[in-house]
Amino acid sequence: MLKDNIQEVFEHIHEHPELSYEETETTEYIYNYLKEAGFEPVKFSNTTGLYCDVGSFEDGNLIVGIRADIDALYQEVNGIKQANHSCGHDAHTAMVIGTMLKIKDDPALEAKGVRFIFQPAEEVGTGALSVVDEGVIDDLDYFFGIHLRPIEEATNGFATPSIEHGAAGSLKFRIVGQDAHGARPHLNHNAIEVGADIVNMLSKIHINPVIPSSVKMTKFLAGGKSLNIIPGVAECGIDMRAQTNEQMDKLKERVFNILKYIEEFYDVKIEDKEFSGIVASESHPDAIEVLRRSIVDVLGEEKCLEPVVTSGGDDFHYYTVKLPNLKGAMIGIGCDLKPGLHHPYMSFEHSAMQNGTEILYRAIVNAQ
């Protein structure tokens, strides 16, 4: 039974988690599973992960993409730091493979092609960009993702046709000055005091209050064992969030201006600046409508929720930002997930994977 296949895949992926860009065994497992099921998967050439085409890819045919993310988080579980599937990627992979098994040899694919993509490294926010570089997204007309939702957003048996994630960014940097003797504070600028000024200035950033955003210092390491040394060096980190990409651009500009001002005012260096982040969702209305119809087909009108707006992020949205003509959106599956995403002991109702599989199948059929 399909339900058993989905559970089998889930259990294997769940019990064998791998970190971002280290998903070699996961890639091999999916590849071999699909080969044994009669598919012709193709491993990516420059990264972990793979894709598999099903249906007809003749000129003029509609091409639909379906994405699963395959990496795990690194966190402490039962006192041990390890790879751990607490974000649902094991379930996403199981649902996508379930969809492949369901649609194989389906007459609905006589004039339609489907590319199933198993993407690495979502948790570090760059896996989607790696897949874009592989060139396998270029010819897609639609692209659908899927993600389990916490119980606060969607209970079991419900689903949303769109998850509107915000943009997220992380900035690492070092305050670089000189240490000084505790008795001679006039000979340097205390990196702790410099950092405190950065924290205070971040709190004074004011941009459009109608659009949610936040910025805060999340890492600050300075000083050492000798408490009679005024530290001149500190390692710092800043977390930035914004609901739109335009708002994130404004936030980044203000943050970098603050660091430039701090350099000049204190005569210190801000070095090793390293920014990484993911973009906010830019879901396509046509894709949302296809997913809405598909949820109604499977669960009924009363179980189809409005698009969920969340400050969380997902690198899936790089696909539609990088390829503006791509009609993309992400399904949110209610599954009574608790205590929450990324909690080391996250749990959810496994029967919801069947709902996700059926909705993905209908999305392929309904895409026009």
Side-chain angles (χ1 to χ4, degrees):
M1 292 176 58
L2 183 61
K3 179 181 178 181
D4 297 331
N5 297 133
I6 295 169
Q7 186 66 27
E8 174 192 351
V9 173
F10 168 79
E11 289 178 358
H12 181 93
I13 301 294
H14 184 79
E15 293 168 5
H16 300 83
E18 293 181 294
L19 302 179
S20 301
Y21 293 121
E22 298 178 13
E23 314 95 328
T24 52
E25 292 185 12
T26 303
T27 299
E28 199 67 25
Y29 169 78
I30 297 170
Y31 180 86
N32 291 333
Y33 188 97
L34 295 179
K35 287 284 286 186
E36 291 175 8
F39 297 99
E40 294 296 331
V42 179
K43 296 176 184 177
F44 292 136
S45 57
N46 296 307
T47 187
T48 46
L50 64 154
Y51 73 96
C52 187
D53 290 341
V54 181
S56 174
F57 282 71
E58 294 181 4
D59 288 345
N61 282 2
L62 189 78
I63 308 300
V64 178
I66 304 290
R67 175 264 213 170
D69 33 16
I70 64 174
D71 58 327
L73 289 155
Y74 185 71
Q75 59 189 164
E76 186 172 308
V77 184
N78 296 325
I80 301 173
K81 291 186 177 180
Q82 61 185 63
N84 185 45
H85 274 298
S86 58
C87 197
H89 296 186
D90 41 6
H92 306 162
T93 301
M95 288 186 283
V96 170
I97 289 179
T99 305
M100 294 181 69
L101 296 174
K102 183 176 178 64
I103 205 166
K104 183 185 178 186
D105 302 323
D106 194 300
L109 296 186
E110 290 179 357
K112 188 180 296 182
V114 188
R115 178 160 291 167
F116 294 91
I117 292 174
F118 298 88
Q119 178 208 301
E122 187 280 327
E123 296 296 357
V124 297
T126 58
L129 295 175
S130 299
V131 174
V132 169
D133 289 342
E134 291 282 330
V136 297
I137 308 297
D138 297 349
D139 297 330
L140 301 184
D141 298 297
Y142 284 92
F143 201 22
F144 302 127
I146 192 164
H147 207 299
L148 304 182
R149 302 318 300 158
I151 194 169
E152 296 85 359
E153 292 181 2
T155 55
N156 190 35
F158 288 75
T160 174
S162 178
I163 308 171
E164 299 302 331
H165 289 103
S170 299
L171 176 63
K172 299 178 182 178
F173 61 93
R174 296 172 69 238
I175 300 169
V176 182
Q178 298 296 324
D179 290 351
H181 194 288
R184 300 176 180 84
H186 62 292
L187 295 182
N188 83 333
H189 288 296
N190 188 335
I192 295 174
E193 295 175 352
V194 174
D197 268 2
I198 294 174
V199 171
N200 288 332
M201 295 178 76
L202 291 177
S203 70
K204 302 300 188 294
I205 293 177
H206 298 297
I207 51 180
N208 189 348
V210 175
I211 303 173
S213 64
S214 70
V215 56
K216 76 292 289 184
M217 187 88 82
T218 53
K219 178 182 179 181
F220 193 90
L221 301 175
K225 293 183 178 180
S226 299
L227 300 184
N228 62 346
I229 294 176
I230 302 171
V233 177
E235 295 181 12
C236 306
I238 292 174
D239 177 85
M240 294 176 249
R241 305 275 166 167
Q243 199 59 51
T244 68
N245 293 316
E246 293 77 12
Q247 188 87 325
M248 175 58 80
D249 290 340
K250 294 176 182 177
L251 200 58
K252 285 171 58 179
E253 181 181 9
R254 300 290 179 87
V255 170
F256 278 93
N257 284 343
I258 286 172
L259 298 184
K260 182 178 180 181
Y261 170 80
I262 288 291
E263 278 190 309
E264 296 174 354
F265 183 81
Y266 282 105
D267 192 25
V268 296
K269 295 293 185 183
I270 304 295
E271 296 183 350
D272 301 331
K273 292 190 288 289
E274 180 182 333
F275 180 85
S276 61
I278 51 178
V279 295
S281 60
E282 295 187 2
S283 306
H284 197 284
D286 290 354
I288 294 174
E289 177 57 23
V290 169
L291 296 181
R292 190 198 68 79
R293 294 203 318 271
S294 302
I295 292 169
V296 171
D297 288 346
V298 175
L299 302 178
E301 188 82 41
E302 70 283 1
K303 299 294 182 68
C304 183
L305 303 172
E306 292 299 312
V308 167
V309 178
T310 173
S311 57
D314 196 295
D315 75 349
F316 175 85
H317 306 296
Y318 271 122
Y319 294 118
T320 51
V321 170
K322 291 290 184 180
L323 290 84
N325 293 326
L326 181 62
K327 298 177 180 179
M330 178 176 280
I331 306 162
I333 295 295
C335 55
D336 289 350
L337 186 153
K338 52 189 176 183
L341 291 168
H342 291 205
H343 190 284
Y345 308 113
M346 180 273 277
S347 65
F348 69 97
E349 176 54 56
H350 290 184
S351 64
M353 291 190 290
Q354 186 71 34
N355 291 340
T357 298
E358 296 293 338
I359 294 167
L360 284 172
Y361 169 76
R362 291 303 307 171
I364 294 168
V365 173
N366 288 336
Q368 299 294 331

